[in-house]
Amino acid sequence: QIQLVQSGAGVKKPGASLKVSCQASGFTFTDWGISWVRQAPGQGLEWMGWISAYNGYTKYAQKFQDRITMTTDASTNTAYLELTSLRSDDTAVYFCARDQKYSSNWYDYWGQGVLVAVSS
Amino acid sequence: DIQLTQSPSSLSASIGDRVTITCRASQSISTFLNWYQQKPGKAPKLLIYVASSLQDGVPSRFRGRGSGTDFTLTISSLQPEDLGTYYCQHNYDTPYTFGRGTSLEI
């Protein structure tokens, strides 16, 4: 069955970086894209960006442009989200989700989410 | 950025009720509109894509309609398992924003 299993939860200090991984199984990884969405505690959903596992193309939300990097590793069917210069308002549950390979469209399978808390 | 305004922000309904949630875009987005359901502590679940296409495995009581700036998600006969928060999201142009959500109580 199709699964996205995430890791990388934890507490980070302000100014540090986070790296969340999303390992896919049950489908051909390079036929799809991965989007990342986050949710601050008690808040709504926020789209962060998309990466094509097919060709590595990325689209990032402008608000994260200077400090976000999305990558994929086809040898391990894993997508990664890196966010630098963390602030307290980056505290959130970070979700990965399966998307389309040529552009971001809709997200039909989701990871379980990981909580990253930014605190001194 | 395109803003999506959902209404109501919360609602309480009874089993068997017909429920409609509205999502209005700040500019025309054609049919680049999706709907998700999120239960507490869980990841969102895709219900409707491209405004009106029902995702595989989603019950037919869920129906999406609309184009341009005005969209609706209708649950024809509310079931206990339909409680949760419903979000619309566009994929017309980045950033692909979500609405603020509609919390549905049974």
Side-chain angles (χ1 to χ4, degrees):
Chain A
Q1 73 281 22
I2 292 172
Q3 280 192 302
L4 297 172
V5 177
Q6 297 182 237
S7 59
V11 180
K12 301 291 184 183
K13 294 207 180 297
S17 300
L18 69 82
K19 190 167 188 176
V20 177
S21 65
C22 172
Q23 185 165 38
S25 60
F27 63 97
T28 302
F29 185 64
T30 51
D31 282 348
W32 298 87
I34 296 289
S35 278
W36 291 89
V37 174
R38 74 179 186 179
Q39 186 169 36
Q43 303 301 308
L45 301 168
E46 181 176 29
W47 179 78
M48 301 182 72
W50 161 88
I51 182 167
S52 170
Y54 172 69
N55 56 23
Y57 285 5
T58 56
K59 282 186 182 179
Y60 299 142
Q62 182 68 31
K63 71 174 285 188
F64 303 111
Q65 195 73 36
D66 295 336
R67 56 191 191 104
I68 193 171
T69 304
M70 294 178 186
T71 56
T72 61
D73 182 346
S75 68
T76 60
N77 292 343
T78 303
Y80 298 95
L81 166 70
E82 187 166 11
L83 190 65
T84 63
S85 303
L86 291 172
R87 308 183 285 256
S88 58
D89 62 358
D90 291 316
T91 294
V93 175
Y94 289 78
F95 294 102
C96 63
R98 193 177 78 162
D99 201 337
Q100 312 303 302
K101 69 177 177 181
Y102 292 123
S103 64
S104 181
N105 290 312
W106 52 85
Y107 320 138
D108 57 356
Y109 290 90
W110 292 66
Q112 82 277 18
V114 292
L115 175 62
V116 177
V118 181
S119 174
S120 56
Chain B
D1 297 359
I2 296 170
Q3 308 301 317
L4 296 178
T5 302
Q6 284 185 238
S7 60
S9 57
S10 65
L11 80 128
S12 182
S14 300
I15 303 303
D17 282 355
R18 181 183 182 90
V19 169
T20 295
I21 299 167
T22 297
C23 179
R24 176 163 289 174
S26 58
Q27 68 180 73
S28 177
I29 56 171
S30 185
T31 55
F32 291 91
L33 194 283
N34 311 309
W35 290 95
Y36 298 87
Q37 174 197 62
Q38 186 179 32
K39 294 180 181 286
K42 299 294 188 182
K45 173 186 174 182
L46 177 66
L47 299 175
I48 302 285
Y49 59 97
V50 197
S52 61
S53 295
L54 190 68
Q55 172 65 3
D56 289 347
V58 174
S60 59
R61 64 180 179 273
F62 290 92
R63 181 178 183 181
R65 302 186 75 173
S67 67
T69 60
D70 293 321
F71 302 85
T72 58
L73 173 70
T74 298
I75 308 172
S76 59
S77 179
L78 198 63
Q79 299 301 303
E81 61 268 29
D82 297 337
L83 77 90
T85 302
Y86 292 79
Y87 294 94
C88 57
Q89 185 215 14
H90 78 86
N91 61 299
Y92 182 80
D93 194 8
T94 59
Y96 300 138
T97 49
F98 289 84
R100 299 186 70 170
T102 295
S103 178
L104 175 57
E105 282 186 356
I106 309 295

